[in-house]
Amino acid sequence: MKQKEYIGFGSINNLKGILSKYNPRNIFLVTGGASYSISGAQKAIEPYLSSYNVTHFSGFEVNPK
């Protein structure tokens, strides 16, 4: 699958169509720590992800070893 980016205001509205098209079994969601919630992204994205097996990673460190 070729990578495709959706960038800009309202681009999150493409998520439902993308999920319908590819029908993934598992989703690996990589986000920042608090920014995911504070930005409103969590509230916007999670309704689309409720029927999928989602692994959420946000455990980044400053200057990881």
Side-chain angles (χ1 to χ4, degrees), residues 3-5 7 12-13 16-19 23 28 30 33-36 38 41 45 47 49-50 55 58-60 63-64:
Q3 181 175 329
K4 187 172 182 180
E5 294 89 16
I7 301 170
I12 201 163
N13 296 325
K16 184 177 181 179
I18 294 166
L19 293 173
N23 196 25
F28 184 58
V30 179
S35 64
Y36 178 55
I38 292 168
I45 292 173
L49 302 180
S50 63
T55 300
S58 63
F60 295 97
N63 299 320

Side-chain angles (χ1 to χ4, degrees), residues 6 10-24 27 44-45 47-49 51-52:
Y6 297 86
S11 60
I12 201 163
N13 296 325
N14 295 303
L15 186 57
K16 184 177 181 179
I18 294 166
L19 293 173
S20 294
K21 180 178 179 179
Y22 294 106
N23 196 25
I27 296 173
I45 292 173
Y48 295 119
L49 302 180
S51 60
Y52 296 95

Side-chain angles (χ1 to χ4, degrees), residues 61-65:
E61 297 177 17
V62 176
N63 299 320
K65 295 180 171 69

